[in-house]
Amino acid sequence: MSDNDLATTAQEMVAPGKGILAADESVATISKRFAALGIESTFETRRQYRELLLTAPDISTYVSGVILYDETLRQGLTDGTPFADILNKSGIFPGIKVDTGAKALAGAPGETITEGLDGLRERIAEYVDLGARFAKWRAVITIAEDGRPTRNAIATNAHALARYAALCQEGGLVPIVEPEVLMDGDHSIERSYEVTSETLRTVFGELAGQGVRFEDMVLKPSMVIAGKKASLQADIQEVAEETVRCLLNTVPAAVPGVAFLSGGQSADVATAHLNAMSKMGPLPWSLSFSYGRALQDPALATWKGDQANVDAAQKALYHRVRLNGIARSGEYTPEMEEAA
Ligand code: 13P
């Protein structure tokens, strides 16, 4: 595959009016989300839920790609058609989460290093064979008053992200580079800005140092936002302005697109933030969404594990992807939430 193919795929992943559905929860994470709603987690219930998401009518109008988990990329419809084929047929890129999770970082209490580099070259080759077009790796950065994040946590995670991204580009997948600064805690938006800036600077330094081509990747950052427990919460406009200012200071213009994670924001707030940022153009890169919970939560809560609710759940997903698609051009209004 030529470099140019990756650049084209990266651009299409952040095409105007579209975004990426993150549906790559590990078995442990999706089981937790199911448990919260009293849904049993089995190989088959997870398959049913992913089928509901991937076959929701007309989502390809607003969805350019879906990130899958290893188990899901190997699953398909009951007639055996692989999910990757279903997605490709509807013009949606199948993607794959290739990290194996955030594990305790030695010597750094309360911090993590994302693992999954061992054997990654071979796994990438297999995922390409299974139909994947892009990949994702999530690094997790925690803010706390005890000195976190340490320089060590940022540097080791940035290094791993760059090793992953270089392997993806070598093997023919567009890497989504996801350094998530968690919203957990009571930190201010100023502290979020500081940590997000330092993280992004370090990540792009490592990417450059390891020869990763910025044209052939997508950045998936968190927004600059106060901690969930902070008493002072910035309004929509301030989050949008601080996030864009932070990106302008740290993200090279050669990167085709920035697709945000939602990180625990409610569905409507995540959409409103994207909408406010979309009004700030022109910017060097496309601003898009790659939400997990902010796209899926209403659908999962509607489905409840009952196949009789599939249609309604698919409509709930369609509604969310549509509103975020509209937010990409800054034309979303909160009144549109009503028209589900
Ligand atoms: P959230 O939007 O729920 O944060 O999920 C996005 C994601 O892919 C996390 O890795």
Side-chain angles (χ1 to χ4, degrees):
M1 179 173 288
S2 76
D3 298 349
N4 189 39
D5 287 327
L6 291 189
T8 305
T9 303
Q11 283 159 18
E12 289 177 3
M13 285 164 65
V14 294
K18 294 188 184 190
I20 296 164
L21 167 63
D24 60 324
E25 299 83 4
S26 63
V27 171
T29 301
I30 198 71
S31 298
K32 247 186 268 165
R33 306 237 164 106
F34 277 14
L37 294 164
I39 305 166
E40 195 192 354
S41 178
T42 65
F43 184 83
E44 177 56 16
T45 58
R46 293 190 295 274
R47 194 203 63 75
Q48 287 172 349
Y49 176 60
R50 266 63 183 255
E51 174 173 344
L52 171 174
L53 297 177
L54 306 183
T55 62
D58 301 324
I59 57 164
S60 63
T61 310
Y62 304 106
V63 175
S64 57
V66 179
I67 318 174
L68 305 171
Y69 182 63
D70 183 272
E71 175 183 88
T72 318
L73 185 61
R74 299 172 195 281
Q75 288 179 322
L77 304 182
T78 40
D79 70 6
T81 312
F83 286 142
D85 290 1
I86 299 292
L87 289 173
N88 273 318
K89 221 187 269 166
S90 36
I92 298 176
F93 293 132
I96 179 75
K97 168 193 175 77
V98 301
D99 68 71
T100 55
K103 309 286 160 59
L105 177 61
E111 302 199 287
T112 60
I113 177 69
T114 299
E115 295 190 345
L117 289 169
D118 288 354
L120 182 55
R121 177 178 277 122
E122 292 72 24
R123 286 197 292 130
I124 286 171
E126 189 192 2
Y127 290 140
V128 168
D129 282 347
L130 288 168
R133 301 292 300 276
F134 68 93
K136 174 192 119 167
W137 179 290
R138 171 176 174 259
V140 182
I141 302 296
T142 304
I143 300 180
E145 274 173 24
D146 57 7
R148 285 177 283 165
T150 60
R151 184 66 215 145
N152 179 30
I154 294 176
T156 48
N157 276 291
H159 189 265
L161 272 170
R163 283 192 60 196
Y164 140 81
L167 281 164
C168 283
Q169 291 185 345
E170 176 194 273
L173 295 177
V174 172
I176 292 186
V177 172
E178 181 180 2
E180 175 171 7
V181 176
L182 292 180
M183 284 172 68
D184 297 348
D186 61 359
H187 53 273
S188 63
I189 188 169
E190 289 81 11
R191 181 80 181 121
S192 169
Y193 185 100
E194 206 172 88
V195 171
T196 306
S197 298
E198 189 189 346
T199 300
L200 290 175
R201 281 204 180 96
T202 309
V203 167
F204 279 101
E206 280 291 344
L207 292 171
Q210 295 188 41
V212 174
R213 297 181 300 273
F214 296 159
E215 291 87 346
D216 299 356
M217 62 166 276
V218 169
L219 177 71
K220 176 164 173 168
S222 38
M223 296 179 198
V224 173
I225 191 166
K228 268 181 265 183
K229 292 196 189 126
S231 47
L232 192 62
Q233 290 291 332
D235 63 16
I236 300 285
Q237 189 59 24
E238 188 179 358
V239 169
E241 284 173 11
E242 290 303 282
T243 301
V244 167
R245 188 165 71 87
C246 180
L247 296 177
L248 282 170
N249 276 280
T250 54
V251 181
V255 173
V258 174
F260 293 102
L261 60 89
S262 60
Q265 298 177 35
S266 63
D268 56 332
V269 169
T271 307
H273 283 145
L274 178 65
N275 189 66
M277 287 188 267
S278 301
K279 289 185 181 168
M280 291 178 193
L283 296 168
W285 358 256
S286 298
L287 286 189
S288 185
F289 59 93
S290 176
Y291 298 155
R293 285 161 286 178
L295 291 178
Q296 289 186 51
D297 279 356
L300 182 56
T302 304
W303 179 55
K304 297 190 199 83
D306 183 345
Q307 287 298 85
N309 297 329
V310 165
D311 283 357
Q314 289 183 324
K315 287 198 177 87
L317 174 68
Y318 178 81
H319 186 57
R320 283 270 44 97
V321 298
R322 177 174 172 271
L323 294 189
N324 284 289
I326 293 171
R328 288 237 17 217
S329 48
E331 281 158 22
Y332 160 85
T333 60
E335 292 70 45
M336 293 175 181
E337 293 290 344
E338 313 297 315

